Amino acid sequence: MADAKKTNKGPKIQLRDVHKAFGAKQVLRGVNLDVGEAESVVIIGGSGTGKSVTLKCILGLLQADKGSIKVAGEEVAGLESGPDRDRLNAKFGMLFQHAALFDSLRVWENVAFSLTAGHGMGRDQAREIAMKKMALVGLSSKVGDLYPAELSSGMQKRVGLARAIAPDPEIIFFDEPTTGLDPIMSDVINELIVTCVKEVGCSALSITHDMVSARRIGDRIAMLYQGKIIWAGPVNQIDRSGNEYVDQFINGRAEGPIEMLVRAL
Amino acid sequence: MNHPIEFVALIGRAFLGFLATAGRLVLFALEGTTHIFRPPFYFRLIRRQMVDIGYYSMPVVGMTGLFAGMVLALQSYTGFARFSAEGAVATVVVLSMTRELGPVLAGLMVAGRIGASMAAEIGTMRVTEQIDALTTLSTNPFKYLIAPRLLAGFTMLPFLVLTADIIGIFGGYVVSVYKLDFNAANYLKRSWEFLEFLDVFSGLVKASVFGFLVALMGCYHGFNSKRGAQGVGAATTNAVVSASILILIFNYIITELFFSK
Ligand SMILES: Nc1ncnc2c1ncn2[C@@H]1O[C@H](COP(=O)(O)OP(=O)(O)OP(=O)(O)O)[C@@H](O)[C@H]1O
Ligand SMILES: [Mg+2]
């Protein structure tokens, strides 16, 4: 189903041989990844392997050193800030790993930000939409008038989520959407992401460490290890990937081919 | 043996580093300034910055002006008494305040108050990825963060300096009349007699330039803040120090432009 759509319209996001280094430190060493129309792809991988960096390269917050990044067929690698980048970013919704809420604005102003600042919508109307989006992530309207610093980190995360989906983006990026949430709230958020993809028809690229969440929200899963995607496939094949790195990761075993840089006491 | 060469290389590197920084700073200032004139305009943000700089700095700047004017009267009186020139006290107070002390002291106080808070706020936004979030929400950080601050700094400082001038001159008057037993009417007459439009005007031009520099340094260092709390701390220090030094340098340059014949 997802594959059929893909051949019709081509992938929504396509990464080819993307490299990124910070000084001498090579983080991405040739990432290849496709996200189809109305498809939800989940990136898994160890801490510090460059998952967030991958998203930031697509968003243009970091410039890839080498390789091609296409969004809806248009080459965007090397597209720095300017009207073209703004037009592109208007299609995107992004949830940052640490929420990145504007702490000088109230919660509802954060959620409505793209509506008031970007589209010049009136404050009353924007507030109404913001309240609806907040209800979707399980936040009551009372929270709307607080400031982000007055919320718990799990609540901040959900405000970030509401802000990301407020302008009804075509493509959403979620950097660890369920980290720091209790299991029930995690499930609400998983449900919300599934709804966005299945009913609204947007494409989603998420990062998570939470395998329960990955299985729930992903059509496909891709594993990042040492700067490359070492395995990618449909979510129902992850247990039969035949890749020992993937097996070790999804089962959370300390023993295996992935060596953690820790020494025994 | 190759010590001299290394020394020259060191100077060369430092000089190149200085040029690179100056270049980056000019580009930053240009980008921020052009956004002042290009829509959309964020009037709420501009107003908030203007109130923060213009209104909430009044007490600090007023106090500075008051004591500067008072001490000026006292010092010049005791100094000038040595060659019986006490009559010049009024003129000294009024000229020093409007030309030099008003703008420079207000500029330095605002550098500490506003420059530091701008660098800390924008630096925190940088390290907590709020500036990245702005970009992903299709909002240009230069337009949203930098332009309103530059505009507010540039326009508000003249008002602050005018206040400092008036309060400072008043302080000088109070000391002269109530402590040094000057004749009030005579003192006032002396104050106006030698004051020219250019004295006040040059001070206000200085104020605008200083306000722009303070905002620029706060924004630039905050915007380029390195990661973490330490990075924000360093950005704040650099903003205040560089703004203060630039104020003193530009003070000389502008004085030279206005008054050297
Ligand atoms: N701006 C930066 N400057 C220098 N190094 C960076 C920068 N951003 C990321 N890195 C480095 O790149 C590597 C990957 O970082 P990234 O944030 O993508 O990890 P991650 O896979 O998202 O990990 P986690 O699951 O813990 O969030 C890290 O080693 C980090 O030190
Ligand atoms: Mg990350």
Side-chain angles (χ1 to χ4, degrees):
Chain A
M1 177 66 189
D3 278 336
K5 273 185 187 162
K6 233 166 80 178
T7 45
N8 281 345
K9 297 197 178 175
K12 205 79 177 160
I13 300 175
Q14 187 185 58
L15 272 65
R16 287 292 175 269
D17 197 34
V18 172
H19 285 69
K20 177 71 192 173
F22 294 101
K25 181 171 182 164
Q26 274 290 338
V27 178
L28 305 181
R29 311 161 191 243
V31 172
N32 296 312
L33 185 70
D34 287 330
V35 182
E37 180 100 31
E39 187 187 33
S40 168
V41 174
V42 175
I43 302 178
I44 59 173
S47 198
T49 48
K51 304 183 297 298
S52 300
V53 169
T54 308
L55 285 200
K56 285 179 190 167
C57 286
I58 302 174
L59 289 161
L61 300 174
L62 294 171
Q63 294 297 326
D65 300 330
K66 196 177 131 203
S68 140
I69 301 173
K70 286 186 177 159
V71 175
E74 183 191 350
E75 180 66 51
V76 301
L79 189 62
E80 296 199 30
S81 59
D84 285 341
R85 178 47 80 179
D86 287 349
R87 182 176 47 74
L88 188 68
N89 280 346
K91 295 182 189 175
F92 293 157
M94 166 76 180
L95 166 66
F96 284 85
Q97 187 168 356
H98 304 288
L101 301 178
F102 304 124
D103 41 28
S104 60
L105 299 180
R106 290 176 194 283
V107 165
W108 80 264
E109 290 173 318
N110 265 281
V111 175
F113 191 86
S114 58
L115 307 172
T116 48
H119 300 273
M121 185 187 283
R123 284 173 70 79
D124 291 337
Q125 195 191 352
R127 188 187 160 97
E128 210 165 289
I129 296 178
M131 291 302 181
K132 275 192 198 126
K133 299 289 176 183
M134 281 166 52
L136 286 181
V137 296
L139 292 172
S140 74
S141 56
K142 261 180 282 172
V143 176
D145 287 317
L146 301 178
Y147 283 93
E150 297 169 316
L151 306 183
S152 75
S153 69
M155 290 164 90
Q156 289 179 0
K157 198 92 197 204
R158 284 183 279 154
V159 175
L161 199 63
R163 183 175 71 180
I165 61 173
D168 299 320
E170 287 173 39
I171 306 170
I172 10 187
F173 301 91
F174 296 118
D175 199 341
E176 306 195 3
T178 56
T179 308
L181 301 184
D182 64 75
I184 301 171
M185 196 42 78
S186 293
D187 201 53
V188 171
I189 298 303
N190 289 336
E191 187 93 27
L192 178 75
I193 296 173
V194 172
T195 313
C196 281
V197 176
K198 291 286 159 325
E199 284 172 23
V200 184
C202 48
S203 307
L205 181 57
S206 319
I207 293 172
T208 189
H209 294 291
D210 171 1
M211 285 314 297
V212 177
S213 169
R215 288 171 204 270
R216 274 282 266 122
I217 64 180
D219 295 321
R220 282 194 309 127
I221 293 185
M223 170 136 173
L224 187 63
Y225 181 65
Q226 294 196 335
K228 286 187 173 153
I229 301 290
I230 54 162
W231 185 85
V235 68
N236 55 21
Q237 281 174 26
I238 184 121
D239 294 311
R240 291 171 270 124
S241 65
N243 184 313
E244 45 188 336
Y245 293 92
V246 176
D247 279 342
Q248 186 194 348
F249 189 85
I250 64 175
N251 295 311
R253 287 192 299 259
E255 252 91 273
I258 304 176
E259 288 186 17
M260 290 286 160
L261 293 174
V262 287
R263 247 181 300 159
L265 280 173
Chain B
M1 208 54 230
N2 54 10
H3 263 169
I5 300 280
E6 272 172 18
F7 184 67
V8 172
L10 199 72
I11 294 178
R13 257 197 304 278
F15 185 65
L16 288 181
F18 169 77
L19 286 186
T21 309
R24 271 197 298 275
L25 197 58
V26 169
L27 287 180
F28 187 92
L30 281 179
E31 171 124 37
T33 312
T34 53
H35 276 288
I36 295 176
F37 302 103
R38 278 187 280 160
F41 306 110
Y42 295 110
F43 292 110
R44 290 171 68 87
L45 297 173
I46 296 172
R47 197 180 61 212
R48 187 191 299 171
Q49 290 303 325
M50 285 186 163
V51 170
D52 203 26
I53 298 177
Y55 183 72
Y56 288 108
S57 302
M58 284 275 177
V60 165
V61 170
M63 288 295 277
T64 315
L66 180 67
F67 283 100
M70 284 165 63
V71 83
L72 204 55
L74 204 54
Q75 280 284 16
S76 47
Y77 177 79
T78 51
F80 289 2
R82 293 181 192 165
F83 40 95
S84 323
E86 297 94 330
V89 168
T91 316
V92 168
V93 168
V94 92
L95 289 192
S96 312
M97 277 315 293
T98 53
R99 283 181 170 202
E100 281 297 320
L101 292 181
V104 170
L105 290 180
L108 292 176
M109 293 315 275
V110 169
R113 212 188 89 82
I114 299 294
S117 87
M118 281 183 185
E121 185 178 356
I122 296 179
T124 305
M125 292 187 72
R126 164 64 73 200
V127 301
T128 56
E129 299 182 324
Q130 293 178 50
I131 294 182
D132 287 346
L134 272 180
T135 311
T136 64
L137 293 164
S138 305
T139 301
N140 189 316
F142 273 89
K143 186 175 288 305
Y144 190 81
L145 294 174
I146 312 299
R149 287 172 169 79
L150 294 182
L151 180 63
F154 183 77
T155 52
M156 285 296 107
L157 255 262
F159 291 103
L160 284 175
V161 166
L162 207 56
T163 316
D165 287 353
I166 293 168
I167 295 181
I169 293 169
F170 172 74
Y173 169 84
V174 168
V175 169
S176 303
V177 172
Y178 293 99
K179 187 171 162 57
L180 307 174
D181 293 329
F182 277 77
N183 174 288
N186 224 349
Y187 183 91
L188 281 180
K189 186 170 147 285
R190 282 289 214 146
S191 294
W192 290 123
E193 214 167 33
F194 297 105
L195 184 65
E196 286 174 15
F197 171 73
L198 201 60
D199 299 324
V200 179
F201 181 70
S202 70
L204 298 185
V205 169
K206 284 180 179 181
S208 273
V209 173
F210 297 168
F212 184 81
L213 288 174
V214 167
L216 180 65
M217 288 298 119
C219 292
Y220 177 80
H221 288 287
F223 203 78
N224 294 305
S225 174
K226 297 286 180 308
R227 325 214 110 218
Q230 212 176 5
V232 177
T236 310
T237 311
N238 289 339
V240 176
V241 171
S242 58
S244 307
I245 290 175
L246 282 177
I247 284 176
L248 297 176
I249 294 174
F250 274 80
N251 182 46
Y252 181 81
I253 296 174
I254 299 172
T255 309
E256 175 98 29
L257 287 178
F258 268 100
F259 296 109
S260 77
K261 298 271 152 49

